[in-house]
Amino acid sequence: MNRQFPALRGLAILLVVLNHSITLALLALRKYGYSPAPALERQLLVALKQVGLIAVPTFLFLSGCFIVYAVQGKPWRVAYKVIWNGLKHVVWPYVIWSAVFYVMVYFLEGERYSPFGYFKNLAVGYPFDFVPLLVFFYILAPALVRVGRGHPWLLLAGIGAYQLFVANVLKPGALGVAFPQWAWHLTLPALRVSLAIWGLFFPLGVVYMLHGRSLTPWLRRLWPVLALAAVALFVLAVGQDLSLWSAPLADILCPVAAILLFPVIQRKAIPWADWLEQLGKKAYALYLMNLIVLNLALAGLHALAPWAFAQLSLLALGLFFVTLSLPQLLMTAVGRLPNPAAHRYVFG
């Protein structure tokens, strides 16, 4: 795998934490009845959080790259044994931290569900929305690798077209035409939203890892075009989020252009690459704990320090550092306990 990819995983989790910190800070102002932030400050924070558009696509792309190493050249039975061993360290942490989240919102918000409701939440990915999609692609991985080896463009075109189809079903008219109502039945239950946003990126990682030697020279030649496209689509996505104009596909297409730049980024060009690599090893656990720590921190501030909500930018910055640091301290403390194997079932 490319030497820069582990550092990019660390960068992606930083962007997740930043996005969540700003998003929940903005929501907390309305939720707790505080005065809204000045328009310019809010717009700048929205633009900053939108950089997180590339975070989950990065995780999925790198997971697709990794799975090629894990299953390429293996018989189906052996490949699925490898996948099962990997999925145990994805699914168990997901279930554990989802349960912690549900307990938290029960006491903080009075949010409760039937037993089937909790099962449905896990199936659709509430609140960790990309995990069911990751599990879905892990299960398909042996087939994706085989098709991607012989027919890479057909694989990407098929999945990309289906992603746009689902996006247009969820946002009628996004492609300039509204599909009939029966088109809803052609979308996958539980994965509709995540496929519409992120469907292409895991297969893109698979194809890149299988054909990287031939693709990378082309990406090096095209990088100015890709960079310009990523910036332009990012601006369109920010404007869409601020209701300045309509660009319903910008948040889907922007990460595609950005991800295609990854293979041409040199590791030495990434600031703090060593630190980001270490952070990347904890990315899944940080992702699972982030919303829990954020919600508890905001509830605590509302009860004990309501003055903190008067400065939205400082609040978001403080949340960013707290929710990045506390989970790492917890992981370090748990790592010192006996039975280190259990650590992976809790933190991945």
Side-chain angles (χ1 to χ4, degrees):
M1 187 177 293
N2 295 37
R3 293 183 65 247
Q4 68 271 37
F5 284 1
L8 292 172
R9 187 189 301 273
L11 178 61
I13 191 59
L14 282 183
L15 296 180
V16 167
V17 176
L18 179 66
N19 178 281
H20 287 173
S21 298
I22 295 173
T23 300
L24 267 67
L26 286 166
L27 291 174
L29 294 183
R30 295 199 299 268
K31 175 182 174 182
Y32 294 125
Y34 294 103
S35 299
L40 179 60
E41 182 181 20
R42 184 181 68 84
Q43 290 168 358
L44 290 174
L45 287 172
V46 167
L48 186 58
K49 83 176 180 66
Q50 283 294 84
V51 181
L53 281 174
I54 68 170
V56 169
T58 299
F59 290 135
L60 290 168
F61 174 79
L62 296 179
S63 296
C65 292
F66 170 79
I67 207 67
V68 173
Y69 278 111
V71 306
Q72 185 176 206
K74 293 181 173 64
W76 289 89
R77 184 172 60 84
V78 177
Y80 273 107
K81 184 177 180 179
V82 172
I83 288 170
W84 169 244
N85 288 333
L87 279 178
K88 288 188 293 185
H89 303 302
V90 171
V91 173
W92 278 114
Y94 170 67
V95 172
I96 290 169
W97 290 105
S98 293
V100 173
F101 180 87
Y102 300 148
V103 171
M104 179 195 70
V105 294
Y106 173 83
F107 286 105
L108 287 183
E109 312 290 344
E111 191 175 306
R112 65 189 69 186
Y113 301 90
S114 66
F116 177 75
Y118 284 113
F119 173 79
K120 182 179 178 180
N121 286 343
L122 288 172
V124 301
Y126 173 66
F128 310 118
D129 42 8
F130 94 98
V131 178
L133 182 65
L134 178 64
V135 172
F136 172 75
F137 277 129
Y138 261 60
I139 293 170
L140 291 182
L144 292 175
V145 170
R146 283 163 171 77
V147 175
R149 185 186 300 115
H151 307 282
W153 302 116
L154 181 62
L155 175 67
L156 293 179
I159 293 177
Y162 184 70
Q163 178 179 353
L164 292 175
F165 167 80
V166 177
N168 197 65
V169 170
L170 297 182
K171 294 180 181 180
L175 295 177
V177 61
F179 294 144
Q181 290 186 348
W182 54 260
W184 176 265
H185 300 292
L186 299 179
T187 60
L188 292 179
L191 296 177
R192 291 184 180 99
V193 174
S194 56
L195 272 172
I197 304 172
W198 303 311
L200 183 66
F201 297 103
F202 188 100
L204 186 61
V206 170
V207 168
Y208 174 75
M209 194 50 55
L210 289 169
H211 302 281
R213 289 185 179 180
S214 60
L215 290 175
T216 301
W218 284 98
L219 296 176
R220 289 199 178 107
R221 295 188 188 98
L222 291 173
W223 79 262
V225 176
L226 293 171
L228 182 62
V231 172
L233 289 165
F234 174 75
V235 172
L236 290 174
V238 171
Q240 166 79 14
D241 203 15
L242 292 171
S243 301
L244 299 177
W245 49 65
S246 177
L249 295 179
D251 56 350
I252 295 175
L253 298 176
C254 174
V256 177
I259 293 293
L260 290 175
L261 289 169
F262 285 0
V264 303
I265 296 173
Q266 298 295 315
R267 183 184 182 277
K268 61 184 179 182
I270 303 174
W272 308 298
D274 291 337
W275 178 73
L276 287 173
E277 286 179 0
Q278 294 304 312
L279 190 68
K281 295 176 182 178
K282 308 170 187 175
Y284 188 52
L286 290 171
Y287 171 78
L288 293 175
M289 287 186 276
N290 181 243
L291 290 178
I292 296 167
V293 177
L294 273 173
N295 278 280
L296 291 174
L298 285 165
L301 287 172
H302 173 61
L304 302 174
W307 47 264
F309 292 85
Q311 297 293 331
L312 180 61
S313 296
L314 292 177
L315 172 63
L317 183 64
L319 290 171
F320 172 79
F321 284 110
V322 168
T323 56
L324 187 64
S325 303
L326 285 182
Q328 293 189 74
L329 292 175
L330 176 61
M331 294 173 68
T332 300
V334 173
R336 295 193 181 105
L337 298 176
N339 192 9
H343 188 275
R344 292 199 64 193
Y345 284 92
V346 178
F347 298 112

